[in-house]
Amino acid sequence: MPLLSKLRMVRPLLIGATLASILLCASIAVAQSATPASPQPESVQRFIGMFSDPDVQRFLQQQSEAARVVTEPPVATPDADPSFSEFAMRLRVHVSSLLGAIESFPSETMRGAAMLQGDVQANGGTRPILLVAAFVAVGLAAQWLFWWISAGWRSWMTRAPFATVRQRVIALAARLLWAACFVLSFGLGSIGFFLLFQWPPIVREIVVGYLFAIVVFRLASAIFDVLLAPRAEEEGRFRVVPITKDAAGHWAKRLGYLVGWYAFGWVTIRLLGTHGFSVPARQLVAYALGLVLLVIGIEAVWRRPSGLTAGQASRIGLRARNWLWTVYFVAVWLLWVVGAMRLFWIAVVCAALPGAIALTKASVDNILRSSEDEEDGHKRGTVVSVIVERGIRAALIVGAIILLANALDIRLTQMTMQDSPLLRLVRGLLSAGIILLVVDLAWSVVKVLIDRKLGDTEAVLEVGSERERQRTRLRTLLPILRNFLMILFVAVAIMMALSSLGVEIGPLIAGAGVVGVAIGFGAQTVVKDVISGMFYLLDDAFRIGEYIQSGSYKGTVESFSLRSVKLRHHRGAVYIVPFSELGAVQNMSRDWVIEKMTITVTYDSDIEKARKIIKRIGQELFEDPEFKPTTLEPLKMQGIDSLGDSGLLLRMKVMTLPGQQFTLKRRALRMIHEAFNENGIKLAVPTVQVSGGKDDAVAAAAQQTLAAHNAAAITNPA
């Protein structure tokens, strides 16, 4: 849902920016309609010229505000929390002032048009709209000149690689710098060139204000074009926000319109103030212009590409979500219109902050990912990415707190100079939040370091080497260290947060100690398991991947916990054995292993010839590429082990790495059997001989009788 989170990020733009086109059209129309058809008397011209004086404008505005304060009924102070009746009274006064502004808007427009007309006549009759258009054209010419000059810069950015983190950061910085210079050239060509000349005050305010709004719109469009890169697949550019091409094009355009319209409306409202419009009249225009932002936001939600919600299986869920966003936008706009600014800012922050945090995390991970992560398919964070992402998240949270504090009339600087239960609680909550942010940053950095170290130990090294032994030991200890540090960080964070809230943690720690002792007495076996496990790990008795045997338990070590070890038997069964029950451990995977074999040959076999054959086979196996890396000493015969009942027992031995002896043993026995057959050496087979005198005839007769009986049974089964 990266794009919905992006929409949350621009939610503050829906606040007050719909202030523009109505006023511009009205001011131009009124200015044109206010032009007299016949030459004005000189006294009238002097009177109109007085309105162009800024001092006169400020004086009239102060007198208007003072008169309105006297005539309006008293309202409760904003610092106090109003009751329902007071809120209803405020809403009634607010609505009545807006209705009054609708009636007085034409007269205020005429007065503002008269002031503007005086400056227009002093400027020779040139309309501000014509000046804006003319200087926009000059700015576009300066912008084209910069485009032509920076052809080499643009060519380098097109070919800039994005394989590594450093290349991505450099390329993005270069693109942002170029976009800023591109818009700055337009601003210098339009606003800068306009300010070189002397203009009447009102004309100067209007032209500079709207040129500034155009610069803001173009700057926002350029920044969104760099961050979202809607043409990334065509130009080989890098997209900071990990979204699809259609989504990037959709949101880059809508976000640019939102920022541009907000800047245009903000300038318009300020110009209304300089023209002497009352506060209700300016609010009326602002609310009307805010409808345009509302329409842009709703249109952006309903027409967003369906790929933005790939997790949704049905269109019903998507439509329901669109309706929820629509209701939210309308509710926020209505809260702004009725003047419920506290609820307005709470609603905006609650929706925008989670989305901004999620968008920041996705963007930082996308920029600072390494090429190794792309090769093996695993995402591994870096210390830099964690610090940047957590730092931006902390800045967003602090900014949201400051914004809400200003909206709720909470002065954070005065909280330290006052003392009350509520203020102490608020200070404690803020301190606890800061502590949690710091602990979260520290834990994230530690976790990333441990995870990356574990990732580096995934590749199996040379069997039996020192580096392989270190690798297996790290894979054994690092997960336990990670779990221990997580528990430690959580405990420290909770204790510090409680301390910041005013809770005495000394008795709490002492009580926890007493409870720990009681639990220790009641769970001695668990404590024994934990302590035994610590000593097993300190002694390096076994590691993950090693085959061990302890009593009736044997298998490959798969994982650990604080109190037990998991063994996988070679037949598939899993043993979960508490450490206290292990006892003496037989580790069959350390350093080396000697495999001994015996073979029985007949008494008439040539023992020296057999020794040479076994030695030759041992050398062949030792030089075999399959067995050479794992064979430490070649196969050789140790001699006659004993004189058996059926032949001579020959003993052999071979030294290999742990776990590698079985394959070599099977190959060696097969080769020895074939070589002995080829060289006439017979393997001894147990035999039984029966001898005697008269018993031989009796045995033969019995055998014949048994054979005849069996034949009769076969021919006559019934």
Side-chain angles (χ1 to χ4, degrees), residues 357-384:
I357 292 175
L359 181 65
T360 299
K361 186 179 187 316
S363 302
V364 171
D365 292 342
N366 189 34
I367 295 174
L368 301 181
R369 73 177 189 275
S370 62
S371 57
E372 298 176 356
D373 300 343
E374 298 176 354
E375 293 175 359
D376 56 17
H378 296 286
K379 289 186 177 181
R380 300 187 189 128
T382 61
V383 176
V384 176

Side-chain angles (χ1 to χ4, degrees), residues 100 109 131 176-177 193 273 402 425 488 528 615 657 667 695:
T109 304
L131 293 176
L176 288 174
L177 181 60
F193 189 67
I402 295 175
L425 178 60
L488 178 63
K528 183 179 179 181
K615 182 178 180 181
L657 293 177
R667 177 74 66 84
D695 295 337

Side-chain angles (χ1 to χ4, degrees), residues 271-293:
L271 291 176
L272 286 178
T274 59
H275 280 71
F277 279 70
S278 62
V279 173
R282 282 180 282 170
Q283 290 178 342
L284 181 65
V285 175
Y287 298 150
L289 297 178
L291 286 173
V292 179
L293 285 179

Side-chain angles (χ1 to χ4, degrees), residues 90-159:
R90 288 186 185 183
L91 181 60
R92 179 181 177 183
V93 171
H94 182 66
V95 173
S96 62
S97 64
L98 292 179
L99 294 177
I102 295 176
E103 299 177 357
S104 63
F105 191 79
S107 60
E108 294 188 24
T109 304
M110 294 293 294
R111 185 175 69 248
M115 297 172 58
L116 178 61
Q117 184 64 30
D119 273 22
V120 169
Q121 290 182 354
N123 191 36
T126 305
R127 301 288 180 179
I129 187 66
L130 299 178
L131 293 176
V132 171
F135 287 102
V136 165
V138 175
L140 292 175
Q143 189 172 267
W144 177 86
L145 180 62
F146 174 78
W147 177 277
W148 179 72
I149 294 174
S150 63
W153 192 351
R154 289 185 288 107
S155 177
W156 175 83
M157 290 191 300
T158 304
R159 301 189 306 270

Side-chain angles (χ1 to χ4, degrees), residues 37-349:
S38 59
Q40 297 176 345
E42 182 179 356
S43 59
V44 175
Q45 294 182 0
R46 287 198 304 270
F47 177 75
I48 295 176
M50 292 176 61
F51 283 98
S52 302
D53 192 348
D55 295 333
V56 175
Q57 296 175 12
R58 284 192 295 270
F59 174 77
L60 292 176
Q61 186 174 1
Q62 293 173 359
Q63 294 298 320
S64 177
E65 296 290 342
R68 185 163 51 254
V69 170
V70 173
T71 56
E72 289 181 353
V75 183
T77 59
D79 293 334
D81 293 331
S83 61
F84 290 106
S85 60
E86 291 174 346
F87 178 78
M89 182 61 68
R90 288 186 185 183
L91 181 60
R92 179 181 177 183
V93 171
H94 182 66
V95 173
S96 62
S97 64
L98 292 179
L99 294 177
I102 295 176
E103 299 177 357
S104 63
F105 191 79
S107 60
E108 294 188 24
T109 304
M110 294 293 294
R111 185 175 69 248
M115 297 172 58
L116 178 61
Q117 184 64 30
D119 273 22
V120 169
Q121 290 182 354
N123 191 36
T126 305
R127 301 288 180 179
I129 187 66
L130 299 178
L131 293 176
V132 171
F135 287 102
V136 165
V138 175
L140 292 175
Q143 189 172 267
W144 177 86
L145 180 62
F146 174 78
W147 177 277
W148 179 72
I149 294 174
S150 63
W153 192 351
R154 289 185 288 107
S155 177
W156 175 83
M157 290 191 300
T158 304
R159 301 189 306 270
F162 295 94
T164 64
V165 176
R166 182 173 180 272
Q167 291 173 346
R168 284 194 289 270
V169 172
I170 292 176
L172 288 175
R175 292 182 185 278
L176 288 174
L177 181 60
W178 185 88
C181 294
F182 184 68
V183 178
L184 181 62
S185 63
F186 174 82
L188 292 177
S190 56
I191 300 177
F193 189 67
F194 175 81
L195 294 177
L196 292 178
F197 304 95
Q198 292 291 335
W199 304 96
I202 298 180
V203 173
R204 183 173 64 249
E205 288 289 332
I206 294 176
V207 175
V208 172
Y210 285 116
L211 288 178
F212 174 76
I214 295 173
V215 170
V216 171
F217 166 68
R218 295 183 64 85
L219 180 61
S221 300
I223 292 176
F224 290 136
D225 186 69
V226 173
L227 297 180
L228 299 179
R231 299 176 299 278
E233 286 78 1
E234 300 175 2
E235 302 179 2
R237 300 170 62 184
F238 176 75
R239 184 175 293 125
V240 175
V241 183
I243 55 178
T244 62
K245 178 183 177 181
D246 295 338
H250 175 85
W251 290 107
K253 183 184 298 184
R254 270 69 177 183
L255 293 177
Y257 291 160
L258 284 171
V259 176
W261 190 256
Y262 179 83
F264 185 67
W266 179 78
V267 170
T268 301
I269 297 303
R270 289 186 62 88
L271 291 176
L272 286 178
T274 59
H275 280 71
F277 279 70
S278 62
V279 173
R282 282 180 282 170
Q283 290 178 342
L284 181 65
V285 175
Y287 298 150
L289 297 178
L291 286 173
V292 179
L293 285 179
L294 180 63
V295 170
I296 294 175
I298 295 175
E299 185 271 342
V301 169
W302 281 93
R303 299 189 62 181
R304 71 187 188 275
S306 58
L308 302 181
T309 55
Q312 296 292 327
S314 63
R315 300 292 298 178
I316 298 177
L318 180 61
R319 289 179 59 85
R321 182 175 300 172
N322 292 340
W323 277 112
L324 287 176
W325 280 113
T326 302
V327 172
Y328 171 78
F329 289 157
V330 173
V332 169
W333 183 82
L334 289 177
L335 288 176
W336 177 45
V337 170
V338 301
M341 297 309 297
R342 295 185 177 183
L343 293 177
F344 169 82
W345 283 112
I346 291 175
V348 169
V349 170

